[in-house]
Each structure stands twice: as C-alpha cells, then as structure tokens.
C-alpha cells in the first residue's frame, strides 16, 4: 500500500512539473500627461505585454508603439512619448511621459443608404443616433459601432445581398482633420418564402398555425426566434431548429439551342424545329412574374424538429410545517397522437391530504393559446375537524390572451362525502364557473419582480340538479418588487365570499380557512375559521388575508426577512377583529429553489407563543 502511494505521489509531481508555469503579471504603466479614458486605454493595450520576452531596448519600443496605437483611436495621431523602464532585467513598471499634441477633429461626415434600406426606418435611426458631429474630436469606436450596427440590421431584416459601397476614414494629422465616409448598399429586402417542416410527428398544419408571419411578409430574424420559441413551448419536441435557407443552388438551365437564324447560318449542317409561339398575354404575365421575383426575392425557411419523449416521469419529495413530509409523482404525456393532444396524471401524498388526478388537453387552432381541457380528480382529506372524500370531473375551455391574462370557462361536477365539525353530508354539485388569472415574473426561481392576479366566480343551483345553491367569489393579488440591489418587498391580499341559503350543504373544499405557511403565519394550517358550540372548526363563508414582508440580502444568496400577516375566515363581513402574526425569517436561494424558514408570534393565541414555518419553493 505504501509503495502505491509513493508511486502516485511521484507521478503527480512529474505531471505538475510538466505543466506550464503561471503567467507573468502584466507590466504596470505609470502615466503622466494624460488621464481618463485615454489613459485607461493605454493601460489596456499594455496589459498583454510580457516584459520577460523583450530586451530593454525592444521593450521601450514596444511600449511606445502600443501607447501610440491606444491614443490614435481617440484622435491623438502625433503624441510625444517618453518611455522609462524600471531597473532590473524584468522591469516591474514603465513610466510614460506623454505630450498628447493636437487632436484630430471631424471635418466631414458622409453616411448614405442605397437599396431598399433607404425606406426602412431603423437604418436611418441608427445613422441619426451617431454620437459625433462635425467639429468634434475624432473617436474611432462610434464609427466602428455604426458599421457593426448597420451590418447587423441588414442581416436581421433580410438584406442578404448587402455590402459597403464606401467605407473610409480619411485622417489628415497635418491638417488635424478627419473625413468619415460610409455607404451601405443594402440591395433588395428578402421576403419569407415557403416553410418546410421535417421530423415532425405532429400534423404540419398545426405547426403552421403558430407562425408569427405569412410567406411573402418582409423577413425579420426576430420572427424566426418567436416561431422557434412557440414550437418549444408546445412541449411536443425535444429539439427545435428554425433557420433561413440562405445558400441557393445555382439555377440548372438547359443548354441553349440556336434559333432559326443561327440554323440558317450553318448552311444546313443542323436541323432545328421552331420553338412554340407564346401569346402576348402569356409573355406579359411571365415578364411580370419574373419582375416581381426580382423585386421581392424570397428566402425559404427550414424547420427541423425531433419528438419529445412520449412518456415523462417526475418524482418530488418535500416538507412543510403545514402538512409535514409530502411526495408527488407525475406522469406526463405531452403528445399522444398526431394532433398534439396531451394527457397528464398526478399523485400527491401527505399526512392530512391525498390526491390523484388527470388532465386531458385538446389544443385548438392556436395550440399555444387555445384549448379544451378535461380533468378528473379523487381526493381524501383528514385534518383537524375536516374529513372529506371527494370525486370531481371538469370540462373547460381555456384562452390565453396577448396581454398575458388566461381565461378558464368551466363546468364542474363534484361528489363529496364530508364531515366538518357537526355537519355531516353527502352532496352532488354541478356548477359552472369562470376564472381569470395572470402571473408575471422575472427570474421565476427567486423573482426580483413579479405579480400574480386571480379572480374566480362559481354558481350552483338546484335548477340544473345541484344539491346546494350558492354563489362563490374568490380573488387574490400578490406582488414582488426589488428595491435597489439588496432589498425585496413581498405583499399580497386574498378575499373570498359565499352566498348561500344553507351553509351546511357547502362541502369543506369550498369553505374558507386561514392560517399556515402561505396564509397567516403564527397559526396552524387552516386553523382559523368560525367554531361551533363544541369548539370544532366549521369553515367560513368569508375570507380576508393580508401579508407584508420586507427582505434584505445579508450575504450572497442569504436573505433575512421581517413580516406581518393578518386575516381570518368568518361568517359575516366586518369581523370584530382579525388574527395577526408577525416574525422574522431566513431565505436561502439554494440550487433546488428558495428555502424559507420563519418563526412567527401569534398575537391572538395564548396557548402558542411562537410557531415555526418551513417551506421550499418561490412565493408563487
């Protein structure tokens, strides 16, 4: 064993000995006579200068050359530069005494556009935004930036035959003047051509409905990126590539045959038939078509996709003080046929609640935004004074609008066998509903900005066979805003109300409860609601909660938090008081998501002075 260790140490030593030595630190530049961005640029030019590779004479010359080059881009073409090196074979610094001399100023700015780009506003806007004017000192960077900007615009906007007809910077140091010329000949603007889709297991026509452009529209690279994103968001594909077919093969033309006049000139050596005659209208139509093709050249679009896995499985394990350990198992089928229908199954297990459900998605004309959804679910709940066994079937129509709002119009059938406090019933409910929601976030894992809005309305009536009559309204609004680099505010409000003639027939899944990790901290999970004569929770007909939290970055991914929550579930609006909790917490942005640990004090619970809350995942 010892011999093996010795051999390994020797081998490691040899390998380390063969590795290149660490790079020598760049020579330090001490500059006198000029400052600011020009001096910074000189230091930048001297950064890569390795003094060990030059003799002192060559090092002085190289330092002088690089300094002059660094000053030239700021319009100093005739500086006087004195170089003095520190003593030693490998000088640690170089002293530069600089007399910058006169600075070249702009005498002429001549920027032009030829081709279709003359009528395309972004090109002229780029030229108008050029920061230098006649009479100002010359700086090379804006001119180089404009060249790059115009070239990028040409490629992004479909000018594939672009070129610079003139690109000159004439500098006359002896006159202290500069003339800048730039002429972009964009050529014609290409249009979108036919879209060819390969590798798709989904009907191509469904994919074409996602196109943000129509063949014949002016080319825009951003439209291709949008199409690529839309295809990816369908979750039908493992990979997506959308690109223009820019390299066109040469036209395959038949070898020209001599006409009748050429045949006569061969003195009978060739025999040729006269070509068929075309009508004047056909000739005019052909000429017009050729002219249109020349006027509006097109570029075909090639789309290559690879199917996503048909069966996808995911297992999640977590813990929260509300429910203790919890586990989730999901089986997703993002596509089950060539029309892109999807089917998902989900199993959730925790001590107080177990759920199993499924969702069948039937996409419509715009698969990304419009769909029918059919959902089923079974759930069992046993928590404090609540015991419930529920079965649900739902059919819904979903719309996603351009402004980010999502609308669900649904009809739900629920059978629930429940005991809530002293109420024990079996009810069959059939009720339509509508829900509007929108979620916006930046950096979804730990949002620096975001908000979530939700509003729903549900109606049940015996007219269509439901066992209970009710009108149920719920709403929620939550906000996240970052203040500066190290402060974050999280706030939210929730409301709910049920109007009914017989509250005892309303199942626990529709009643309101407050308290817990995501409600009023300091109180147990769903422990806030009215109570009956025996002290059992009954659930509320109304709900109100409000939360305000201030977070401050302590270091790196660690944040501290201070919060106050208030709210309750109650029987009538205008309760005498609300339950309030406040406390402190810690947030850690871990690789698997934010981890939240809070300790809260409930002001209205004499039996529990403090309560610990722990959860994994973002606020919404």
């Amino acid at each position: 064993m010892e011999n093996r260790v010795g051999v390994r140490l020797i081998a490691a030593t040899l390998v380390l000995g063969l590795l290149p030595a660490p790079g020598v630190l760049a020579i330090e530049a001490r500059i006198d006579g000029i400052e600011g961005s020009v001096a910074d640029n000189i230091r930048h030019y001297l950064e890569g200068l390795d003094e060990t590779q030059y003799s002192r004479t060559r090092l002085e010359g190289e330092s002088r050359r690089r300094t002059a080059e660094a000053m030239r881009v700021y319009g100093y073409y005739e500086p006087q530069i004195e170089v003095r090196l520190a003593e030693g074979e490998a000088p640690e610094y170089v002293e530069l005494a600089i007399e910058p001399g006169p600075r070249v100023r702009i005498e002429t700015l001549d920027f032009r556009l030829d081709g279709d780009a003359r009528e395309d506003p972004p090109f002229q806007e780029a030229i108008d935004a050029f920061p230098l004017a006649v009479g100002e000192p010359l700086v090379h960077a804006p001119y180089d930036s404009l060249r790059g900007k115009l070239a990028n615009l040409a490629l992004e906007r479909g000018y594939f035959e672009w070129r610079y007809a003139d690109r000159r910077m004439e500098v006359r140091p002896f006159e202290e003047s500069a003339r800048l010329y730039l002429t972009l000949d964009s050529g014609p603007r290409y249009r979108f051509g036919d879209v060819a889709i390969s590798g798709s297991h989904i009907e191509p026509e469904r994919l074409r409905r996602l196109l943000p452009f129509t063949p014949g529209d002016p080319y825009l690279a951003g439209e291709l990126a949008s199409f690529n994103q839309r295809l990816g968001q369908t979750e039908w594909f493992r990979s997506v590539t959308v690109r223009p077919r820019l390299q066109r093969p040469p036209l395959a033309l038949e070898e020209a045959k001599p006409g009748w006049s050429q045949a006569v000139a061969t003195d009978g050596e060739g025999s040729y038939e006269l070509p068929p005659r075309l009508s004047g209208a056909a000739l005019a139509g052909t000429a017009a078509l050729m002219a249109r093709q020349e006027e509006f050249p097109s570029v075909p679009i090639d789309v290559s996709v690879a199917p996503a896995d048909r069966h996808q499985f995911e297992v999640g394990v977590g813990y929260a003080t509300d429910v203790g350990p919890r586990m989730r198992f999901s089986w997703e089928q993002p596509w089950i046929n060539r029309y892109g229908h999807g089917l998902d199954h989900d199993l959730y297990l925790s001590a107080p609640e177990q759920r199993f459900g499924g969702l069948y998605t039937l996409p419509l004309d715009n698969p990304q935004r419009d769909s029918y959804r059919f959902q089923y679910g079974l759930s069992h709940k046993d928590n404090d004074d609540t015991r419930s066994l529920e079965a649900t079937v739902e059919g819904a129509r979903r719309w996603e609008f351009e402004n980010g709002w999502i609308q669900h119009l649904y009809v739900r059938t629920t059978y629930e066998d429940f005991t809530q406090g002293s109420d024990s019933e079996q009810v069959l409910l059939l009720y339509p509903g509508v829900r509007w929601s929108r979620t916006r976030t930046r950096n979804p894992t730990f949002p620096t900005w975001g908000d979530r809005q939700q509003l729903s309305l549900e109606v049940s009536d015996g007219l269509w066979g439901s066992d209970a009559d009710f009108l149920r309204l719920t709403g929620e609004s939550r906000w996240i805003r970052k203040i500066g680099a190290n402060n974050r505010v999280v706030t939210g409000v929730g409301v709910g109300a049920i109007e009914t003639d017989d509250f005892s027939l309303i199942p626990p899944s529709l009643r309101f409860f407050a308290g817990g990790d995501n409600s009023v901290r300091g109180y147990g999970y769903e422990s806030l609601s009215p109570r009956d004569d025996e002290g059992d929770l009954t659930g509320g007909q109304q709900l109100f909660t409000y939360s305000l939290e201030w977070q401050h970055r302590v270091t790196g991914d660690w944040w501290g938090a201070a919060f106050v929550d208030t709210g309750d579930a109650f029987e009538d609006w205008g309760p005498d008081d609300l339950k309030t909790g406040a406390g402190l917490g810690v947030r850690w942005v871990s690789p698997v998501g934010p981890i939240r640990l809070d300790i809260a004090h409930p002001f209205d619970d004499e039996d529990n002075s403090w309560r610990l809350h722990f959860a994994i995942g973002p606020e919404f």
Side-chain angles (χ1 to χ4, degrees), residues 233-289:
Q233 289 175 343
T234 64
E235 299 183 358
W236 292 335
F237 308 107
R238 182 177 68 252
S239 64
V240 177
T241 303
V242 180
R243 62 182 60 177
R245 194 189 312 156
L246 297 178
Q247 295 182 352
R248 296 179 297 172
L251 296 176
L253 301 177
E254 296 183 1
E255 183 178 352
K257 294 182 179 180
W260 67 270
S261 59
Q262 293 171 307
V264 171
T266 59
D267 295 328
E269 294 179 2
S271 177
Y272 301 94
E273 297 182 0
L274 293 176
R277 298 181 62 187
L278 296 176
S279 67
L283 287 172
T286 302
L289 178 61

Side-chain angles (χ1 to χ4, degrees), residues 263-449:
V264 171
T266 59
D267 295 328
E269 294 179 2
S271 177
Y272 301 94
E273 297 182 0
L274 293 176
R277 298 181 62 187
L278 296 176
S279 67
L283 287 172
T286 302
L289 178 61
M290 294 179 64
R292 180 173 178 81
Q293 289 178 340
E294 286 189 9
E295 183 180 1
F296 301 118
S298 64
V299 53
I301 305 301
D302 291 330
V303 180
S304 177
V305 295
D309 293 335
R310 193 167 188 171
H311 301 279
Q312 301 174 13
F313 302 93
E314 183 179 349
V315 177
V317 179
Y319 179 87
T321 50
D322 283 347
V323 298
R326 59 189 179 187
M327 185 182 74
R328 180 176 176 233
F329 176 80
S330 64
W331 170 23
E332 298 182 0
Q333 296 175 268
W335 60 275
I336 60 175
N337 56 32
R338 60 194 178 98
Y339 301 107
H341 296 186
L343 181 60
D344 300 336
H345 305 277
D346 188 83
L347 174 65
Y348 171 85
L349 300 173
S350 69
E353 186 174 4
Q354 303 84 45
R355 297 193 303 264
F356 176 73
L359 173 65
Y360 187 92
T361 304
L362 194 158
L364 298 177
D365 287 346
N366 188 334
Q368 189 182 19
R369 296 187 177 274
D370 301 326
S371 63
Y372 284 112
R373 297 189 167 199
F374 303 95
Q375 192 169 351
Y376 71 90
L378 297 170
S379 69
H380 173 263
K381 188 172 184 178
D382 188 348
N383 180 54
D384 290 335
D385 303 324
T386 302
R387 289 170 182 81
S388 170
L389 180 62
E390 178 187 6
T392 301
V393 177
E394 176 183 297
R397 174 73 162 86
R398 178 184 185 273
W399 295 265
E400 182 175 344
F401 304 111
E402 294 290 341
N403 58 9
W405 281 92
I406 298 174
Q407 175 178 279
H408 277 87
L409 187 63
Y410 56 89
V411 176
R412 182 179 299 160
T413 300
T414 297
Y415 173 80
E416 192 162 347
D417 183 355
F418 69 89
T419 298
Q420 181 66 57
S422 59
D423 294 334
S424 183
E425 297 285 349
Q426 296 177 356
V427 295
L428 177 64
L429 303 178
L430 174 62
Y431 54 97
V434 61
R435 181 173 67 251
W436 297 277
S437 62
R438 182 182 68 179
T439 300
R440 302 179 297 176
T441 60
R442 298 172 187 167
N443 184 19
T445 302
F446 191 68
T448 56
W449 180 96

Side-chain angles (χ1 to χ4, degrees), residues 62-237:
E62 184 67 11
S63 299
R64 183 178 289 104
R65 184 190 69 79
R66 294 193 182 197
T67 299
E69 186 177 347
M71 297 182 66
R72 193 173 300 128
V73 299
Y74 282 92
Y76 295 100
Y77 277 78
E78 296 180 315
Q80 302 296 319
I81 305 170
E82 294 184 8
V83 179
R84 190 180 74 82
L85 299 175
E87 300 296 332
E89 295 183 1
E92 295 182 357
Y93 63 87
V94 55
E95 291 183 347
L96 301 171
I98 301 174
E99 175 59 45
R103 193 173 185 183
V104 168
R105 295 185 176 272
I106 298 174
E107 183 178 288
T108 301
L109 285 177
D110 189 358
F111 300 153
R112 301 182 184 181
L113 295 170
D114 291 333
D116 289 354
R118 286 177 299 183
E119 308 300 325
D120 201 353
F123 288 88
Q124 189 59 52
E125 290 171 4
I127 291 176
D128 293 342
F130 187 72
L132 302 180
V134 172
E136 293 184 350
L138 172 65
V139 180
H140 289 205
Y143 180 77
D144 296 335
S145 177
L146 177 61
R147 285 167 42 198
K149 177 68 173 178
L150 294 178
N152 289 336
L153 281 173
L155 293 176
E156 291 171 2
R157 303 182 69 80
Y159 299 90
F160 298 121
E161 299 176 20
W162 74 274
R163 67 184 183 91
Y164 281 120
D166 192 7
R167 184 180 59 182
R168 289 178 293 148
M169 180 185 291
E170 295 181 359
V171 180
R172 302 179 181 181
F174 55 89
E175 293 182 355
E176 301 176 15
S177 66
R179 296 167 175 81
L180 277 59
Y181 302 93
L182 192 62
T183 301
L184 175 73
D185 182 359
S186 68
R189 185 176 187 181
Y190 278 64
R191 305 291 175 117
F192 284 112
D194 294 332
V195 179
I197 301 174
S198 63
S200 176
H201 56 296
I202 306 296
E203 285 286 338
E205 188 57 33
R206 282 195 170 271
L207 305 186
R208 294 181 192 278
R209 291 172 184 166
L210 295 173
L211 284 170
F213 58 85
T214 301
D217 290 347
Y219 178 90
L220 278 173
E223 301 286 3
L224 293 189
S226 177
F227 185 39
N228 192 98
Q229 183 182 32
R230 291 181 182 183
L231 290 174
Q233 289 175 343
T234 64
E235 299 183 358
W236 292 335
F237 308 107

